[in-house]
Amino acid sequence: MATKVVYFTVDGKPEQAEFRSDDTADELKDTFRAAAEANSDDILKLYNTKGNLINISPKLPENTPDTRYKLEVVALHCNGFPYYMMQIDNVLATQFGVVIKDLESRIEMLEKKVFVENGEIPPVVGELKHKVEHLREKLEGVDHLSWLGLFKDISCGTSLKPFWDKTQSIKKTEEHNRMVFEKFKKISQVQVTDEVREYLRKPTFDNWQWDDPEMIILLRQMYIDLDLVSKFNIEMNVLHQWLYEIYKNYNQVPFHNFKHCFMVAQMMYGLTWLIDLRSVLDDVDIFILLTSAICHDLDHPGYNNAYQINAKTELALRYNDISPLENHHCFVAFEILQKSHCNILRNVSKEDYKRIREGMIRCILATDMAKHNEILNNFKSVMKNFDFKSQEHKSLLLMILLKVADISNECRPMDVAEPWLECLLQEFFNQSDMEKLEGLPVAPFMDRDKVTKSSSQIGFIKFALLPLFEALRELFPVIEKDIIQPVRAALEYYTDMQKALEEEKKKGREAAKQRMDKDVIKSKIQT
Ligand code: LUO
Ligand code: ZN
């Protein structure tokens, strides 16, 4: 019986295989599997010298050592990670089309096979088709996926390069950062007008009118106008470098980006003046509040703790599922301060540094909403006889103030707050789409098929925002008019929106019922 020899590479290693022309395709595949040390359910892909995928069968034409085929193994599953995600690497544009086609043709074959045997297509095949279609849409439009894997080590012993690619993530590009820094340096010589400095202290401040370099200047202004630059001997160029490092370490995600950092800092700044916090807190506490607000979401990936934990990302692993994101934000904040040229703490005393570090860690970790009720209850318990001399009472107050600033969008004018809700829901929907694709649990308030703006806000305002703000009002009644009233107005706005939505649905149901009744009557008349 004639035998054939084919030459190929696997993982860059030269191999050759000999087989008989009456061998079956599977036997030939097993030979290739053995050469690639792949297991039985891995997918094999053979490319000819032109880079085209070719079928593995005994009809495979013989070749020579210098026209080798290239064999690739696609691990079907690895750490529960579906193989199509393994395929996505920096040659995404060339490969993923093949992977999706691979998937679609396999489903086609499966559909035919099942139809022939059972005379029908079971729903599961239809669902699989839908999922692959959805995946194609997601991947074709995706620009956040590669970030997803930045904290997910998926190499797990396969020959495939990890699919994420650090240049292709939600990180800002070098030229984008340089352009922002150039404009920032240019305008940093300009004095901010008194009118803008006044406006900057108001909860009505509208961030949508300002670009990133301008917001960096306004953050600098906050340190100047709170006398923190002088009190902590911060050299101006160090402050500039620190603000620029902060800017670079916020990512291009829909909600938890540099604008959110600015908004939380601006709300903290506004509360400082509205309540006159400097009359009850010392400079170190004021510094902790503003600096924690600026640092509190550093390097946020746009996927929350539940995702990090369920998807077993590197962050969840590193922080043992304990507030992985907030721990990471805090780590990045102090990693930046390790660099002398942007260390705004480099001239503070050892004891001030210790207080500042302790205060920032406590405040940033307190922004984990999973700790919301625990922190609020602790604060309420000390509220009864709050002692501004007690360090424990004051540190609870600082945590509450940062939490208030962090989730306070709804106390802003509707045309400032509503776009923020859209950004938030966009980020939540990106996450829940990905969770559906990966078969991970999906939180109802993130599911695009379940959430409406009004439904998400009514519950949130009633059960998270108002209880928090009303607790703070016990200590500082001055926040009633400028902070709490606008939130009540927002609650009314979303309640009315919800009622209108329900009316619509009711009308829709009634119209459908009338149509049905008419059809029934018509059919009765015809029979
Ligand atoms: C609360 C929160 C957590 C993570 C990320 C963003 C937010 N924020 C908001 N959530 N920040 C501001 C807002 C806001 O105005 N609305 C909402 N609304 C919905 C989506 C919601 O219910 N969020 C929510 C509620 C509780 C929770 O953990 C207990 C996490 C998110
Ligand atoms: Zn935040």
Side-chain angles (χ1 to χ4, degrees), residues 255-256 369-370 406-407 409-410 421 424-425 428 445 456-457 460:
F255 181 88
H256 287 100
M369 277 303 282
D406 189 19
I407 61 175
N409 287 331
E410 285 304 339
L421 177 59
L424 178 65
L425 292 179
F428 281 1
F445 69 79
S456 80
Q457 289 309 80
F460 175 71

Side-chain angles (χ1 to χ4, degrees), residues 52-291:
N52 296 325
L53 199 64
I54 50 178
N55 200 7
I56 299 179
S57 85
K59 296 192 196 64
L60 198 61
E62 281 197 303
N63 62 358
T64 64
D66 46 26
T67 58
R68 288 176 183 278
Y69 295 126
K70 187 179 161 216
L71 178 68
E72 281 222 356
V73 177
V74 182
L76 193 59
H77 268 85
C78 152
N79 284 349
F81 205 80
Y83 86 88
Y84 55 75
M85 301 296 260
M86 311 288 282
Q87 288 290 303
I88 299 156
D89 59 18
N90 14 22
V91 285
L92 194 67
T94 48
Q95 276 207 3
F96 92 81
V98 175
V99 171
I100 297 285
K101 275 199 193 64
D102 227 7
L103 258 177
E104 284 164 345
S105 57
R106 286 161 63 80
I107 292 172
E108 208 76 36
M109 276 171 358
L110 184 64
E111 217 172 1
K112 268 194 215 102
K113 196 161 175 297
V114 166
F115 188 76
V116 164
E117 280 157 19
N118 307 4
E120 44 121 25
I121 305 284
V124 67
V125 176
E127 275 159 36
L128 191 56
K129 261 181 100 167
H130 171 71
K131 276 197 165 48
V132 170
E133 193 35 51
H134 193 72
L135 171 67
R136 170 192 283 282
E137 282 156 26
K138 279 305 291 178
L139 294 185
E140 274 155 8
V142 80
D143 58 4
H144 61 278
L145 186 68
S146 52
W147 169 258
L148 198 61
L150 209 55
F151 293 116
K152 190 194 296 280
D153 174 10
I154 50 108
S155 49
C156 60
T158 61
S159 60
L160 287 161
K161 280 193 295 339
F163 82 90
W164 73 86
D165 169 327
K166 292 201 170 40
T167 54
Q168 255 195 32
S169 73
I170 44 177
K171 290 285 183 199
K172 292 164 182 151
T173 56
E174 271 309 301
E175 65 269 13
H176 173 85
N177 289 334
R178 206 173 316 108
M179 181 270 288
V180 166
F181 196 56
E182 287 318 311
K183 181 169 178 193
F184 163 67
K185 274 193 296 191
K186 228 179 270 138
I187 59 178
S188 65
Q189 317 306 330
V190 175
Q191 184 70 20
V192 174
T193 66
D194 291 350
E195 185 202 359
V196 168
R197 291 169 61 209
E198 261 318 294
Y199 177 46
L200 186 60
R201 300 179 181 189
K202 303 273 177 280
T204 53
F205 186 89
D206 177 1
N207 68 286
W208 303 112
Q209 311 306 322
W210 303 79
D211 68 20
D212 290 351
E214 289 163 339
M215 285 192 281
I216 300 175
I217 291 295
L218 294 175
L219 289 176
R220 178 186 75 162
Q221 196 59 41
M222 295 177 196
Y223 279 89
I224 294 169
D225 286 358
L226 285 175
D227 301 323
L228 299 174
V229 170
S230 51
K231 294 272 171 50
F232 294 97
N233 305 316
I234 303 173
E235 295 139 83
M236 199 42 80
N237 67 311
V238 173
L239 182 56
H240 289 172
Q241 289 298 328
W242 177 71
L243 287 168
Y244 180 52
E245 276 302 308
I246 294 286
Y247 175 76
K248 285 193 290 187
N249 279 281
Y250 273 93
N251 297 312
Q252 312 270 47
V253 289
F255 181 88
H256 287 100
N257 49 46
F258 176 71
K259 289 187 190 308
H260 171 63
C261 145
F262 174 82
M263 289 304 263
V264 175
Q266 192 274 330
M267 182 53 69
M268 183 61 80
Y269 185 68
L271 287 168
T272 304
W273 293 108
L274 175 67
I275 299 170
D276 185 15
L277 283 174
R278 296 196 297 174
S279 64
V280 289
L281 298 171
D282 67 12
D283 294 321
V284 168
D285 282 340
I286 298 296
F287 183 92
I288 290 169
L289 284 169
L290 181 59
T291 311

